[in-house]
Every structure is written in C-alpha cells, then in structure tokens.
Amino acid sequence: MAKRKRKSKPTKKITEEEYDKVPKSFVMRSGDVGRSVTTLVGNVRRIMEPNTATHLRERRTNKLKDFVAVAGQLGVTNFMIFSRTEKHVNLRICRVPRGPTLSFRVLDYALTKDCLALQKHPHTSDMDFRTSPLLVLNNFRQEGKEFKVMSAMLQNMFPAIDVQTMQLSQARRVLLYNYNEDAETIDVRHYGIGVKATGVSKSIKRVVSTQIPDLGKFEDISDYVLKEAIISESDVEDGTDATVTLGQDYRGRNNRKNEQRAVRLYELGPRMTLQLYKVENGMCDGEVLYNRYVAKTDEQVRELNAKRQRTMSEKARRRDEQEANVQRKKEELEEHRRRTGAPAKDDDNDDESDQEEAAEDEEEDEDIGNQDMGMDDEADDDDNDDSDAEMQNDSDDE
C-alpha cells in the first residue's frame, strides 16, 4: 500500500522590504588566532544564522575598510571580530558604519563539540538554525551608560519580535547573556527549545512522543508501563513554572494547540565568558565612553575631543584640496588639447587615474584603512598592564 503524502503547511514568505530591515552580521577573525579560536568563530557564526555570512573567508591582506565597503551593499549592520594576543582572546562587536564599538576580553570559552560531548543524547538539527534565536538579557539593569549601550547593541543584532504575529514554531533557540555582578563578567549560553508531555510516566512519554516501542521483552503491556512508573528526575522538573499551554501547534509529535507541555532547554554551545573593558563611540575608533582600566579627568577628555576635531578638520581640508587638484588637472589637460590639437583620449581612463591618485593620497589619512583588523589589541594589553601604576601616580600628584 502506497504511503500517503502529508500536506505541508504554507509558510509565510518574507518580502524584500522586510528582509532589508533584518539585522545582518559578519563574524570574522583578525590576524593569526590559532585553530581553537578559528573553530570558535565558526560556532558563533552558527549562532547568528540565518542572517550571517556562514562561509565568509578572511585574508591576511584584508583591512577593516574592505569589509565596511562590502557591508553597505549587502545590508550588513554588525561586525563581530575575534583576535588574539599573547595574553588574551578579544572580541569586538561593532555597529556598521559609524559605531559604537564594544570591546570584550574572552576570559574562557568552550566549543560546540565540547558542549555536545557532555550530553548523553545531544540534540542537533539543521531546522533549528533556519530562524534567529530568541535573545534573553538577564541582570543588565545596572548603573552606568556602558550597560545601556551594551543592551541596545545586543538587541539590535537580532530581528525584533512581534508577539501578536509571531509563529510559535519559529521559537527554536535561545541565546542568553547573563551579567554576573560579583565577577563583573557576562556568561553567554546557547540553548535549543524542546517540549515534552506532562503528567505521565517516562514510558508513556516515549509512546506519545515517538514511535511504538519494542515490547518483545515484556509479557504484557502492563509490565512495560509499570516498569518506569517510578518518578524520574525529568518528571520532578515538570512543575508549574516549567509547564505551559501551547497557543499554537508546535514542532514534534502530538504538540497541538491548547495542550499542556513542559518546556525543556538543551545546550547547543558554544559557551563564552566575556568581560567588557572598553566602549568607543565610533567604528573601532572615536571617543572612549567607557574604559575599565583607565580613568581620565574632564580636562583630559576635553583635550582628546579637541584633538579629534582638529584631525577631522585636517582630513576635510586635505580632501577638498585633492578634489580641487583633480579638477585643475582636468582643466589643464583640456587646455593643452585645445592648444596642440591633440586627439581626445579616453576620459574614463583619465578619470580613473585621477581617482586612484586621490585615493592614494587619502589613504595616508585613513586611520581605519591603514590598520589591521586587530585594531591595536596588543597596545590595549600594554595599557591595561600599566593602568594601575598610572592611576596610582595620578592620585599621588593630586
């Protein structure tokens, strides 16, 4: 007898206008980070699916400005850059193209394969990664503007959720950021969501949720039911806090609307423990809004702002000079052609050569273009090591 085909439910297709509003990200590494951190980068890309470049390849010659130029065309809104120095593994989360930038120390981490190896029955399914994870920020209501910036940055990395129109079947994963006040660190955990039947023994759950079990070892069905009638650890967890009423049909067998189910979280990995040490107003540059290791006085902040304004004014002046020089060269070349009667050359080639010359001059002033994607991580390490001594000297002078 032929197997009857099951009708698939029609899925709502997202429009191009809605897709353009979805945040997208690049997860990349900077410099030589080693095999373990490279694997971590791939695991983090897996977390950010489906709105990330899963097969992004970086080269040693790539600069940050190369990715910034491509990001605008692809609608990428966030960068996650991993780098490693002799002392630390660092993570920078940037908002494209104007910032701000969050800089973290990765104090420790565990890869996805290590998290799954600890589980007796690991859950892995590609279907779980076709929708974005649900973001949970716990204990982020702290004093300080760095927490406000951090909360806004993390929330804007994922699509907004409309509870009224959201499909329950899209809730498949959870990404948790938990702030630890005592250690001043952030724990990052990645879970999958599952539901199980409540109010029945473990053997009955197996019958309800899966295929009919093998009863060849039992003389009667009652033997199978009564064998696992003792309360198991998972049955104890079926309290009122973990039990919900399904508002819609959910994935899995017999998970229908208005049914009572217990919610289960199973870890997918990876794990990370982060520590925020710097918040910058720009794209890996600009005014330092927060620094964990260095405290500056108001006068020093004013001096830095004035210096930054002078640098920007100088860049604008040189850019105007370059545009004026390009225009002057075009006029001189045209005048020379009129005097000598020389045939007109390909204007496009002339324009390209002038643009290349102007670009070469401008690169001298581009801070982002002339630095690697590591963005002075080693310098940050040196500043952090000497910060205690500097702050002590400042207090003695006062």
Side-chain angles (χ1 to χ4, degrees):
M1 183 177 178
K3 188 176 180 180
R4 186 176 59 182
K5 294 183 178 180
R6 300 181 63 181
K7 294 182 179 180
S8 59
K9 296 182 180 179
T11 57
K12 181 181 177 182
K13 294 183 178 180
I14 186 172
T15 62
E16 184 177 355
E17 203 173 298
E18 294 174 342
Y19 182 74
D20 293 338
K21 296 180 181 180
V22 174
K24 305 175 185 64
S25 61
F26 278 168
V27 183
M28 63 191 86
R29 51 192 169 89
S30 171
D32 186 10
V33 297
R35 182 177 299 177
S36 181
V37 177
T38 301
T39 306
L40 178 63
V41 171
N43 295 160
V44 175
R45 288 177 182 174
R46 188 71 166 161
I47 293 177
M48 303 302 294
E49 286 185 1
N51 301 314
T52 189
T54 307
H55 303 289
L56 178 67
R57 293 186 178 181
E58 313 91 339
R59 298 180 180 178
R60 292 182 179 271
T61 57
N62 286 138
K63 304 294 183 181
L64 182 62
K65 69 171 187 177
D66 299 333
F67 294 98
V68 173
V70 176
Q73 303 173 5
L74 301 178
V76 176
T77 57
N78 298 278
F79 286 171
M80 298 182 70
I81 307 172
F82 285 87
S83 59
R84 190 184 69 174
T85 64
E86 295 180 357
K87 301 178 182 179
H88 302 287
V89 176
N90 302 312
L91 168 63
R92 302 202 182 207
I93 301 178
C94 316
R95 182 72 178 180
V96 181
R98 302 185 181 277
T101 302
L102 304 176
S103 300
F104 297 93
R105 292 272 184 263
V106 183
L107 302 182
D108 54 62
Y109 62 90
L111 302 177
T112 297
K113 62 179 181 179
D114 300 325
C115 296
L116 296 179
L118 297 175
Q119 303 176 24
K120 185 177 180 180
H121 301 290
H123 298 262
T124 55
S125 175
D126 291 337
M127 293 294 295
D128 295 341
F129 297 90
R130 295 188 179 183
T131 56
S132 298
L134 305 179
L135 179 65
V136 177
L137 300 179
N138 184 45
N139 203 22
F140 271 74
R141 292 185 178 180
Q142 306 290 330
E143 295 182 359
K145 56 186 177 182
E146 66 271 14
F147 288 97
K148 296 181 180 179
V149 176
M150 186 164 42
S151 299
M153 279 280 292
L154 295 176
Q155 289 175 1
N156 290 329
M157 291 178 65
F158 300 93
I161 297 175
D162 188 354
V163 181
Q164 303 297 330
T165 60
M166 176 183 175
Q167 295 294 322
L168 193 60
S169 58
Q170 297 178 355
R172 292 175 174 264
R173 294 183 292 141
V174 173
L175 180 60
L176 171 65
Y177 284 84
N178 176 62
Y179 179 71
N180 190 339
E181 293 186 51
D182 298 332
E184 296 183 349
T185 58
I186 301 172
D187 301 321
V188 183
R189 298 291 185 269
H190 183 214
Y191 299 100
I193 302 176
V195 296
K196 292 185 177 181
T198 60
V200 294
S201 64
K202 192 173 182 180
S203 57
I204 300 301
K205 286 182 183 180
R206 189 177 295 114
V207 175
V208 172
S209 59
T210 60
Q211 301 295 331
I212 298 177
D214 183 12
L215 302 177
K217 299 180 181 179
F218 304 96
E219 296 182 358
D220 190 78
I221 185 64
S222 61
D223 297 337
Y224 172 75
V225 175
L226 296 176
K227 178 184 176 182
E228 298 182 358
I230 302 175
I231 296 178
S232 62
E233 183 180 354
S234 60
D235 294 329
V236 175
E237 296 177 358
D238 293 345
T240 56
D241 295 338
T243 303
V244 297
T245 301
L246 299 179
Q248 302 174 6
D249 292 346
Y250 194 65
R251 65 186 181 95
R253 189 175 182 181
N254 295 326
N255 294 328
R256 300 186 182 91
K257 184 178 178 180
N258 297 327
E259 293 285 343
Q260 290 283 337
R261 290 292 183 267
V263 179
R264 291 287 181 272
L265 297 180
Y266 48 89
E267 189 167 8
L268 298 174
R271 300 179 182 178
M272 288 189 294
T273 302
L274 308 178
Q275 187 176 63
L276 180 70
Y277 72 90
K278 186 189 291 186
V279 178
E280 296 170 287
N281 193 28
M283 177 73 176
C284 297
D285 194 7
E287 179 185 358
V288 178
L289 303 178
Y290 168 78
N291 195 313
R292 178 181 175 82
Y293 302 102
V294 180
K296 297 184 180 296
T297 62
D298 295 339
E299 184 178 355
Q300 291 174 331
V301 172
R302 287 193 295 269
E303 291 178 358
L304 290 174
N305 292 336
K307 182 179 179 181
R308 190 175 296 108
Q309 291 295 333
R310 289 194 299 269
T311 303
M312 294 176 62
S313 300
E314 182 67 18
K315 287 183 180 180
R317 185 186 63 80
R318 292 198 59 179
R319 191 177 295 108
D320 294 340
E321 289 181 357
Q322 291 164 4
E323 294 177 356
N325 290 337
V326 171
Q327 185 65 26
R328 178 176 54 81
K329 289 180 181 179
K330 288 182 179 180
E331 294 176 357
E332 291 177 355
L333 182 60
E334 188 66 27
E335 181 65 23
H336 177 72
R337 290 172 181 170
R338 284 199 299 267
R339 288 200 311 266
T340 59
K345 296 182 180 180
D346 189 358
D347 293 338
D348 294 337
N349 295 334
D350 294 340
D351 294 341
E352 290 178 0
S353 61
D354 293 337
Q355 293 292 340
E356 291 177 357
E357 183 178 353
E360 291 177 357
D361 295 337
E362 187 175 357
E363 283 184 356
E364 297 178 359
D365 295 331
E366 288 287 344
D367 294 335
I368 296 180
N370 290 337
Q371 60 186 355
D372 289 335
M373 289 164 55
M375 275 74 72
D376 301 332
D377 285 328
E378 295 182 358
D380 287 340
D381 288 337
D382 295 337
D383 293 341
N384 298 339
D385 293 337
D386 298 337
S387 61
D388 295 337
E390 292 178 1
M391 296 175 67
Q392 183 64 31
N393 292 334
D394 293 339
S395 61
D396 293 340
D397 295 339
E398 292 178 358

